Amino acid sequence: MSGTGSKINDFVVRLANVNGTGSASANFLFAKSIFRSGVFMTPKNIFPSNIQGLPTWYEIRVSEKGYLGRREGIDMMVAMNPQSMMQDVMSVRPGGYFFYDSTKPLHPQFKRSDIHYIGVPLMQMCNDNYTDARQRQLFKNIIYVGAFSALLNIDLQIMIDLLAEQFKGKEKLIEPNVKALNMGVDYIKANYKYPLEFHVEKRDLTKDKIVIEGNNACGLGAVYGGATVLSWYPITPSTSVAEAFADWCHQFRVDKDGKNNFAIVQAEDELAAIGMVIGANWNGARAFTSTSGPGVSLMNEFLGLAYYAEVPAVLIDVQRTGPSTGMPTRTQQSDVMEAAYAGHGDTKHILLFPSTPKECFEMTAESFDLAEEFQTPIILMTDLDLGMNDHVSDPLVWDDKRKYKRGKVLTAEQLEKMERFGRYYDVDGDGIPYRTIPGTHPTKGSYFTRGSSRDEYAVYTEDSAAYKRNVDRLAKKFETAKSKVPAPHIYNAKNTSKNAMLFFGTSTYSSEEACDLMKEEGIALDMIRLRSFPFSKEVHDFINSHDKVFVIEQNRDAQMRSCLMIELGIHPDKLISILNYDGMPITADFIQRSVKKVLAPGKVVAAN
C-alpha cells in the first residue's frame, strides 16, 4: 500500500456525523484551529433539511496556496455515522486514512487494502468518564478533535485558547472540554505514529484575514448601508441574514436611552414581506428582505410593481437547488433567470453577484444606494455555499466619510419652485425621473403610486403612446445602469489567449484554481468575473475578443449563458457551458476536466 506522499498544508478532511449530535461546534473548532495556525482553510457544512437524524458531513480543505474552492478526493475520513459508513469509506483516496470509533470491531465490509485505518475507542472512553448521556455524545466530538491535533500536528494550545474564547462567561465549561481534548491526544500518542504524512505546519498566511459567513456579512452590510427596516419570512438558506441583521442592529442601532432605531417584522409569508419592504421604501426608509428561490417566485408580482411604479427595494436572494422545494440545504446558482426578469411583461432587474463575504458586505451596502439612485429593486445574488459556510476573507472595511446616495429626491424648496410635479418625466435624459418622499411639502409633490399604465404625471391612462413612452424610458434607465453597477473583474489587461473563461459568484474560487492547473498543462485561458447585471460594454467586448468562452455556472439550464445571449446577442457557438448542479460546490477538478474535453493542450493557440 502506497502512501499519499508529502501533504503538508494541502489536504482534505471530511467528518461524517449524525445531524443533531452537537458535532458542528466541535468541527468548527477543528477548522478554526487550522486558521489560527496561519494556514488557509475552507469548510463546507453539508447538512440535511430535516431537524435530526440524517447524515451530515463537514468537509475542510487545507491549502497553503490559498485555494478556497472545494477539492475532490478525501485524504482523511472521520466516520462517526454508521448510516453513511459504506459511502464514507469508499470516498477515501488510495493511501488516505479512515478514522473510526473502535469501541466495537470494524465490520469487514468496511475494510480496504489501499487505505490506512485509525481506530479510537471513543464511546468506551466516554462511558468510562461520563455518566450523563448528553455529555457522552458532546464530549465524544471533542475527543476526536483532540485526536486530530496530534495526528495533524495542530498546536493543542490553539484549541485550548479557542475553547476559552467560546466559553467566555461560562468558564466552568472550559476545564472538562480541555480534559476531553487531552484524552484524544493521549490516546493517539500512546497507540499511533504521529503526525501523519499530511499535516499542518504553522505559517503566517492568515494574520490579516477573518473568518465569516456570507449571510452574516450581508446582515452587517445592510446596517452600514442605512437599512432600518427588515420584513422577512423564514426560509433556508436565507434565515441567518435576518438573524444577523437583528444582532447587528441591537449592537449598532439602539439609542443611549435604549430605544431601537430599527423595525424587524416576520411577515406571514413572502408576499407580505416584499410588500412591506416596498411600502417602507416608498415612505423614505431603507428597507429590505431576504429569501431564496421559492420566495422569489412568490415575490414576482410585487417585484414587477416596484419596477413599474419605480419604488426602491433591496432583496437578498440566497440561492439553493430547485425546482420547487428541491434540496433546501444544497447550493446552486439557480435563480439567475428568475431574478433578472422577475415580474410580468417586459421587466428587468439589477442583479449583483458577490463572490466573497467582503463583497457580500460591500455589495449589500451598495444595493441601497443603487436602489434609490435607480428607483428600482436591487437583487443581491448569493447562494447557500457563500451564505451559510464560513469563509476566509479580507477584513470588512467602511469609510466613515461615505455619504448615502439618495438619488433624485426633490426637496420642499425645489417643489415650491415647480409649477407642476411630473413624477415620471425624464428630465435629464438618463431614464431616471425625480421622486418625492411623502410629507416633504404640504401641498406639492404628492402622486398616486400604481402598477397600471399612467402618463408622466402619474395619471392613469390607457393611451398607447403614453404607455410606450413610459416603458421605453424604463429601458433607457436600464441602459444607464450599465455604467453604474459594479464592473466586471477582467484578470488580464490584454488578451493572452484566444479562449477564455467567464464565471461569477462562488464559482470564482474553483474557476481561478482551474485556470492555474490548466496553465501548468499548457492551456492558456483569459478570465472574466461578472459582478453585476445588466452587462457592461466591457463584458461584450471581452466575449467578442475571444473565439471560445467557457461559461462556468452552477445550474442545469445554463441560465447565465442564456442571459448573455439575450442581452448581448452573442452567438451560441461562442459560449460553451460548464455546468454543475448536483447541489455540491463546483470543484476545480471538474472545471479542468470539462475544459480539456474541448481544448487539448497541444491545440491551444496563444493570442497574437
Side-chain angles (χ1 to χ4, degrees):
M1 178 171 58
S2 62
T4 58
S6 178
K7 292 288 183 180
I8 297 171
N9 297 338
D10 183 16
F11 55 88
V12 175
V13 176
R14 175 179 273 198
L15 302 99
N17 300 98
V18 178
N19 194 35
T21 58
S23 60
S25 60
N27 295 342
F28 182 58
L29 172 68
F30 170 49
K32 200 166 184 181
S33 69
I34 298 171
F35 174 76
R36 288 285 181 89
S37 300
V39 181
F40 288 102
M41 61 83 202
T42 180
K44 306 294 182 189
N45 191 14
I46 307 160
F47 59 100
S49 57
N50 74 333
I51 296 175
Q52 187 170 356
L54 289 179
T56 180
W57 292 271
Y58 193 83
E59 189 174 294
I60 305 166
R61 181 182 184 182
V62 181
S63 173
E64 182 164 321
K65 294 181 178 180
Y67 291 132
L68 298 178
R70 184 169 164 262
R71 196 206 77 186
E72 294 178 6
I74 307 301
D75 296 302
M76 183 176 187
M77 172 60 70
V78 182
M80 296 292 108
N81 187 355
Q83 292 181 3
S84 64
M85 192 166 286
M86 180 56 72
Q87 175 185 346
D88 295 333
V89 73
M90 297 309 297
S91 67
V92 181
R93 282 183 166 187
Y97 289 80
F98 187 79
F99 181 104
Y100 68 100
D101 185 348
S102 61
T103 300
K104 295 181 180 179
L106 189 66
H107 194 282
Q109 67 177 335
F110 302 124
K111 294 292 185 67
R112 285 173 51 187
S113 60
D114 60 343
I115 63 175
H116 306 276
Y117 288 83
I118 298 175
V120 177
L122 299 169
M123 189 52 66
Q124 179 185 326
M125 295 166 74
C126 288
N127 290 341
D128 291 345
N129 288 273
Y130 308 102
T131 56
D132 181 77
R134 183 59 175 167
Q135 279 190 338
R136 286 173 173 173
Q137 179 58 62
L138 294 175
F139 284 118
K140 176 183 176 181
N141 300 326
I142 301 300
I143 293 171
Y144 71 63
V145 169
F148 296 156
S149 68
L151 289 169
L152 302 181
N153 196 42
I154 298 171
D155 186 347
L156 184 62
Q157 188 59 48
I158 291 176
M159 290 190 175
I160 294 173
D161 292 343
L162 286 169
L163 285 171
E165 294 174 15
Q166 180 180 344
F167 294 117
K168 186 176 182 179
K170 302 177 182 178
E171 279 72 16
K172 64 181 181 180
L173 297 176
I174 298 174
E175 183 178 347
N177 276 275
V178 173
K179 177 184 175 182
L181 277 177
N182 279 305
M183 288 166 60
V185 172
D186 293 343
Y187 190 89
I188 294 299
K189 288 184 176 181
N191 294 277
Y192 290 96
K193 182 180 178 181
Y194 65 94
L196 303 180
E197 62 266 30
F198 65 87
H199 57 265
V200 174
E201 282 188 1
K202 283 187 177 181
R203 297 288 188 265
D204 196 20
L205 305 173
T206 62
K207 63 179 180 179
D208 297 323
K209 305 293 182 180
I210 62 172
V211 175
I212 187 172
E213 292 181 348
N215 283 355
N216 193 4
C218 284
L220 184 59
V223 172
Y224 273 81
T228 56
V229 177
L230 165 67
S231 178
W232 68 295
Y233 185 77
I235 181 173
T236 302
S238 73
T239 296
S240 56
V241 173
E243 293 170 343
F245 179 72
D247 290 343
W248 291 116
C249 279
H250 282 104
Q251 184 172 343
F252 295 122
R253 290 211 184 282
V254 179
D255 280 346
K256 292 180 180 179
D257 60 1
K259 182 179 179 181
N260 291 338
N261 285 323
F262 61 92
I264 298 176
V265 181
Q266 182 174 324
E268 60 266 32
D269 54 34
E270 286 89 349
L271 285 82
I274 188 65
M276 293 178 193
V277 167
I278 293 169
N281 277 287
W282 183 76
N283 276 283
R286 286 193 158 188
F288 78 105
T289 189
S290 60
T291 191
S292 193
V296 178
S297 298
L298 290 170
M299 294 177 182
N300 259 239
E301 186 171 2
F302 263 131
L303 287 169
L305 169 65
Y307 170 83
Y308 195 53
E310 297 180 76
V311 181
V314 172
L315 167 61
I316 298 174
D317 178 11
V318 189
Q319 299 167 93
R320 69 189 206 188
T321 62
S324 188
T325 305
M327 293 191 291
T329 58
R330 297 291 186 267
T331 194
Q332 269 189 13
Q333 296 170 321
S334 52
D335 302 341
V336 176
M337 292 287 285
E338 176 186 33
Y341 305 111
H344 306 95
D346 296 320
T347 311
K348 293 180 183 180
H349 298 293
I350 296 173
L351 312 181
L352 305 184
F353 300 104
S355 64
T356 65
K358 187 173 188 290
E359 285 193 335
C360 284
F361 172 76
E362 295 169 345
M363 288 187 176
T364 299
E366 186 176 5
S367 294
F368 293 96
D369 282 352
L370 288 170
E372 294 204 285
E373 183 177 0
F374 288 95
Q375 304 170 28
T376 195
I378 305 296
I379 306 179
L380 186 79
M381 306 293 290
T382 74
D383 58 31
L384 183 147
D385 181 24
L386 178 55
M388 294 192 70
N389 283 320
D390 290 287
H391 294 265
V392 175
S393 172
D394 290 329
L396 312 183
V397 179
W398 184 260
D399 182 1
D400 289 331
K401 297 179 181 178
R402 177 172 168 175
K403 303 294 183 182
Y404 296 142
K405 298 176 182 178
R406 303 305 304 265
K408 297 181 179 182
V409 180
L410 293 173
T411 65
E413 292 76 16
Q414 290 171 315
L415 286 168
E416 186 64 37
K417 297 175 182 178
M418 298 178 68
E419 183 176 339
R420 186 182 183 188
F421 168 54
R423 170 65 180 96
Y424 297 110
Y425 260 113
D426 183 4
V427 177
D428 302 320
D430 57 5
I432 307 170
Y434 285 80
R435 65 186 178 109
T436 59
I437 293 175
T440 299
H441 191 282
T443 59
K444 294 184 177 182
S446 62
Y447 64 97
F448 188 79
T449 303
R450 64 174 76 247
S452 52
S453 182
R454 68 289 172 127
D455 65 12
E456 284 79 359
Y457 294 100
V459 177
Y460 175 77
T461 180
E462 294 188 14
D463 176 69
S464 297
Y467 168 79
K468 187 173 183 301
R469 288 197 305 271
N470 195 45
V471 294
D472 285 346
R473 181 183 55 76
L474 290 170
K476 182 187 292 185
K477 182 167 71 170
F478 197 71
E479 285 295 315
T480 301
K482 291 181 179 180
S483 62
K484 300 287 187 178
V485 294
H489 178 197
I490 298 174
Y491 288 71
N492 305 99
K494 295 182 178 180
N495 291 347
T496 62
S497 172
K498 291 184 177 180
N499 303 303
M501 185 183 292
L502 179 150
F503 45 87
F504 61 99
T506 51
S507 299
T508 298
Y509 297 121
S510 294
S511 297
E512 291 174 342
E513 182 180 359
C515 279
D516 285 349
L517 293 174
M518 287 184 284
K519 189 182 298 182
E520 295 174 1
E521 297 184 273
I523 301 177
L525 291 174
D526 293 325
M527 296 188 291
I528 183 173
R529 176 167 69 90
L530 301 182
R531 300 176 68 228
S532 60
F533 174 84
F535 307 122
S536 67
K537 185 176 184 296
E538 295 167 284
V539 177
H540 182 272
D541 291 346
F542 179 90
I543 293 174
N544 278 340
S545 66
H546 292 87
D547 292 345
K548 294 183 177 66
V549 178
F550 295 90
V551 182
I552 317 299
E553 49 186 316
Q554 300 184 68
N555 57 69
R556 185 194 68 181
D557 293 339
Q559 295 180 34
M560 184 60 77
R561 178 176 180 267
S562 296
C563 284
L564 290 165
M565 291 190 295
I566 292 169
E567 298 297 326
L568 301 181
I570 305 297
H571 194 284
D573 291 347
K574 183 184 284 285
L575 302 175
I576 303 170
S577 289
I578 295 180
L579 306 173
N580 175 71
Y581 46 90
D582 61 1
M584 299 297 290
I586 194 169
T587 67
D589 317 70
F590 173 78
I591 296 171
Q592 181 186 25
R593 287 195 303 271
S594 301
V595 171
K596 287 175 68 176
K597 288 180 180 178
V598 180
L599 300 178
K603 296 180 181 179
V604 177
V605 180
N608 294 327

